[in-house]
Amino acid sequence: MNIAAAGTNENLAEISNYLIYSAMAVYALAFVAHIAEWVFGSRSKVARTAAALSPGRAEDGEAPEPAASAGAAPAKSAAAGGSTSVLDRPRPKVVVRSSAGRRGELPDGPGAAAGDEQGDLYGRIAVSLTTLAFLLHVAGVLARSLSVQRAPWGNMYEFSTAFSMVAVGAYLAFLVAKKNVRWIGLPLVTTVLLDLGLAVTVLYTESQQLVPALHSYWLWIHVSLAITCGALFYLGFVSTALYLFRDRYETKLLGGGTPGGFATSVMERLPSSSSLDKFAYRINAAVFPFWTFTIVAGAIWAGDAWGRYWGWDPKEVWSFITWVAYACYLHARATAGWKGRKAAYLALIAFACFLFNYYGVNIFFNGKHSYAGVG
C-alpha cells in the first residue's frame, strides 16, 4: 500500500510539473499576443490627453476638437472591449477644462488596441490564451497538492506557483466583472513568466511532507491569505508604477513639453493618472484589512505551534514592517500634503517590503520559517 501510494504521489508530482511547464508555454503565447496588441493597435486614435491639456494643439494633422464642457455627452467607446475605464462600468463623461495648460478630468485612453479591430483581436486572443494558461496553472497546483496530501504552499517553489496563479485569477476576475483592465495583461503575463521561470529553475523543491509544526489548519488560512494579499498587492503595484509614468507624461504636457513618439503611443492608451491612482488605492485599501488578519492568524498559529505569539522572527518582523508601510501609505492618502506621487512612492516601498519579506527573508535569514527556504 505504501509503495503504491508513493508511486502515485510521484506520478502526480510529475503531472504537476508537466502542467506548470505547459502553462508557461501558453503564457508565453499570451505574451506574444499582448505584444501584437500593442504593436498593431492603431496609433491614430491616441494623443487625446495632449489635445485635452493643450486645446490649440493639432492632432494627427487635423484641427483639434473643442474641449468638452461639464455637461457634454460621454465619448463613444473606440470598440467593444477596448475601453480602459477601470472604476465604473458606464464610460465616464469626458470633462476637459477649456483653457490650455490646466489638467481637467482627462479621458481614459482607448486601451492597448487603441480602438483598432486588428489590435483588439490580438488582445482578445491574449486574454483567451491567458485563461487557458490559468486553467493549466490551477491544475498543476492542484496536482502538486494531491501529490503531498496537503496545501500546495509549503515552500518557496509552491508559494511562487500559487502566488502567480492567484494574481492571474484576480486579473481574470476583474475582466469577468466587466472592469476594463486589459492594460494590466502585458505586465502581468511578463511577471508570471519570470516568477514561474524562477520557480522551476532556482526554487524548485521535490514534493515532500512538512515539518510537524506546519501540520495545522492554519496553514490553509494563514498562507492562503498571504498569497492572496500579495497577488492583489501586486496588481496595485502595477497600477501605481504606471500611474507615476502617466502622471509624469501629463505633467510634461502641462509644461508645454512634447513627449517622444514612443511615450505618447504607450501613455495615451493607458487610463488617466487619476484613474490609475484610484484603482491602486482601492485595491490596497481593500486588501489591507486582510493583510492585518494574515498577521494575526500567523500569531495565533505561532502560539499553537511554538508556544508564543510573537518571537521577533525575521518573517514576523518583515510582515509587520510591510503592514506599517501600507498603513503609512493609506494614512498618506488621507493627508492632503501626501497625496499623489509621494503616496505612490510609499506604495512602491510597501510592495518592495512584501517582496523582501518573501524572497530576502527566506534566503538571507535563518529563523522559525527557514523550512520555507530554497530546498
Side-chain angles (χ1 to χ4, degrees), residues 184-356:
I184 295 180
L186 180 57
L188 173 66
V189 171
T190 303
T191 304
V192 168
L193 282 171
L194 292 174
D195 178 64
L196 292 179
L198 181 65
V200 300
T201 57
V202 178
L203 305 178
Y204 183 75
T205 302
E206 292 293 338
S207 181
Q208 58 189 0
Q209 291 301 319
L210 301 176
V211 297
L214 295 184
H215 287 287
S216 170
Y217 60 88
W218 285 107
L219 176 66
W220 292 90
I221 299 173
H222 171 65
V223 185
S224 64
L225 275 174
I227 291 172
T228 302
C229 290
L232 291 172
F233 278 147
Y234 166 75
L235 297 183
F237 159 77
V238 172
S239 185
T240 299
L242 292 177
Y243 156 76
L244 290 172
F245 286 109
R246 171 79 186 203
D247 181 69
R248 184 178 297 277
Y249 173 79
E250 293 176 4
T251 301
K252 187 171 185 177
L253 288 175
L254 278 172
T258 303
F262 178 78
T264 299
S265 177
V266 173
M267 292 296 108
E268 287 292 342
R269 305 190 201 194
L270 296 175
S272 67
S273 61
S274 176
S275 292
L276 289 168
D277 186 41
K278 290 177 182 177
F279 182 67
Y281 170 69
R282 290 183 178 183
I283 288 182
N284 291 331
V287 176
F288 182 73
F290 293 97
W291 181 249
T292 303
F293 181 73
T294 300
I295 297 176
V296 173
I300 296 173
W301 187 11
D304 291 342
W306 301 317
R308 92 290 188 279
Y309 295 102
W310 187 266
W312 297 102
D313 182 78
K315 181 72 71 173
E316 296 169 350
V317 171
W318 276 95
S319 294
F320 180 68
I321 290 174
T322 302
W323 183 91
V324 171
Y326 275 106
C328 289
Y329 163 74
L330 294 176
H331 177 72
R333 288 298 303 252
T335 305
W338 277 84
K339 290 183 178 179
R341 297 184 68 87
K342 292 181 179 179
Y345 290 136
L346 285 178
L348 297 185
I349 292 172
F351 187 72
C353 290
F354 175 87
L355 286 182
F356 184 80

Side-chain angles (χ1 to χ4, degrees), residues 43 45-52 57 59-60 249 264 268-269:
R43 299 186 181 187
K45 299 180 181 180
V46 298
R48 301 166 66 203
T49 299
R57 184 187 301 237
E59 181 179 349
D60 295 324
Y249 173 79
T264 299
E268 287 292 342
R269 305 190 201 194

